[in-house]
Amino acid sequence: MGNFMPKKSGGWEGDDRYLQTEFKLMDTDNDGLLSTGQLTNLLLALGFGGDEAQTEMLLKGMNKEREDTLSEEEYVEAVKSNEEIFVKTSKLRVIFGNFDDTNEGKVSKSKIKRRLLVMGFEVDEAMTKAIEETDADRDGFVTYDEFLTKHLKNKGFIQK
């Protein structure tokens, strides 16, 4: 299985922060559990595809104690141990990881702009505004939490 998480020493290597961030952002009622609907929305937002029936089957295979919810630990372990889920949900982790070459879990807005230019994208006023809006705490950096929150809001999966 390919590794779709940052992997440099001292940073996010061997650590589950990306997956934990995904879980926490979709746990919109902050009960420490994802319902079938929340898990479906998370998997759809991350690019897995499928529908609620398929997600229910995944959920039953992922959880260890309950039939209709999934804990953070169960989510992290299930994604890491299921290659299909891991690969199909890795797109946003890979994108963010390509910007976060220091593996600190955050990237400066100026680095994002430079990387986009190198990748051949035009960093116009709209792109600059989107990057600025993603930096929710206005500290000059975009974290994976902020990056994923912006994506989930844009896709209509969360209201935050």
Side-chain angles (χ1 to χ4, degrees):
M1 172 183 351
N3 188 346
F4 294 100
M5 306 258 276
K7 57 176 191 173
K8 291 194 178 156
S9 61
W12 289 43
E13 182 177 9
D15 152 346
D16 301 327
R17 285 188 277 175
Y18 275 151
L19 301 174
Q20 292 165 340
T21 296
E22 294 163 6
F23 180 93
K24 287 175 181 152
L25 286 176
M26 193 52 69
D27 181 18
T28 54
D29 55 4
N30 297 312
D31 66 355
L33 299 169
L34 293 184
S35 66
T36 302
Q38 289 170 317
L39 179 62
T40 300
N41 286 342
L42 178 56
L43 293 176
L44 287 171
L46 295 175
F48 182 77
D51 58 18
E52 193 152 336
Q54 184 180 15
T55 306
E56 280 183 40
M57 288 178 47
L58 285 171
L59 182 62
K60 287 178 184 175
M62 290 176 168
N63 79 36
K64 297 174 180 145
E65 301 171 11
R66 298 158 309 283
E67 296 249 342
D68 60 349
T69 58
L70 192 66
S71 71
E72 180 180 319
E73 181 180 310
E74 290 168 330
Y75 172 76
V76 169
E77 287 309 309
V79 172
K80 286 170 47 176
S81 65
N82 185 310
E83 185 172 6
E84 178 185 16
I85 295 171
F86 191 77
V87 170
K88 286 184 175 181
T89 63
S90 67
K91 181 173 79 173
L92 294 175
R93 287 178 226 124
V94 170
I95 291 169
F96 188 81
N98 283 325
F99 289 106
D100 182 19
D101 60 357
T102 62
N103 294 302
E104 296 177 43
K106 65 182 183 178
V107 185
S108 72
K109 294 183 292 188
S110 60
K111 182 184 279 185
I112 292 171
K113 291 174 189 175
R114 285 192 312 271
R115 290 280 168 92
L116 287 170
L117 287 168
V118 167
M119 293 168 29
F121 291 96
E122 180 182 346
V123 182
D124 59 10
E125 188 175 319
M127 180 80 74
T128 299
K129 182 179 177 191
I131 294 167
E132 291 295 328
E133 289 172 354
T134 303
D135 178 18
D137 62 6
R138 304 288 183 236
D139 66 351
F141 294 90
V142 174
T143 63
Y144 184 64
D145 182 313
E146 291 169 326
F147 174 76
L148 187 58
T149 297
K150 177 83 168 167
H151 177 75
L152 293 174
K153 284 170 61 175
N154 287 345
K155 296 288 183 180
F157 289 110
I158 61 171
Q159 301 301 313
K160 288 185 181 185

